[in-house]
Amino acid sequence: LHPDLIVTDLSMPIMNGLDETRILKKLMPAVPVIIYTAHSDAFVEREAIAAGVSALVSKSEAVAVLIATARSLLDQIAA
């Protein structure tokens, strides 16, 4: 697989999104990762940045925010 962008959740059954991001960034360091979550606070934001997340988007935001964030990250890659 050669994704251009990865969107994942923070809370998942087997592995949380932070652990997943750490692994993905080792395998594909140039691929941006967005965590789309209902659980967002200052601690999660710090941990997400440390894990290598490109953006953290709250599920309480309109889906347009997720789409705009994804487009912005893809535009940065294309530039």
Side-chain angles (χ1 to χ4, degrees):
L1 299 174
H2 303 284
D4 294 319
L5 174 80
I6 298 167
V7 178
T8 189
D9 201 337
L10 180 64
S11 299
M12 299 183 291
I14 306 235
M15 175 185 305
N16 71 51
L18 298 174
D19 291 337
E20 176 192 23
T21 299
R22 288 182 189 100
I23 293 168
L24 289 169
K25 294 310 275 185
K26 286 180 184 175
L27 297 171
M28 299 175 274
V31 176
V33 177
I34 298 173
I35 291 186
Y36 187 52
T37 183
H39 312 286
S40 182
D41 59 32
F43 175 77
V44 170
E45 289 178 23
R46 284 192 305 272
E47 290 296 309
I49 291 167
V53 168
S54 303
L56 186 69
V57 178
S58 175
K59 288 182 179 178
S60 65
E61 298 282 342
V63 74
V65 173
L66 175 62
I67 294 167
T69 302
R71 284 185 176 148
S72 174
L73 290 168
L74 290 171
D75 286 346
Q76 290 173 24
I77 293 170

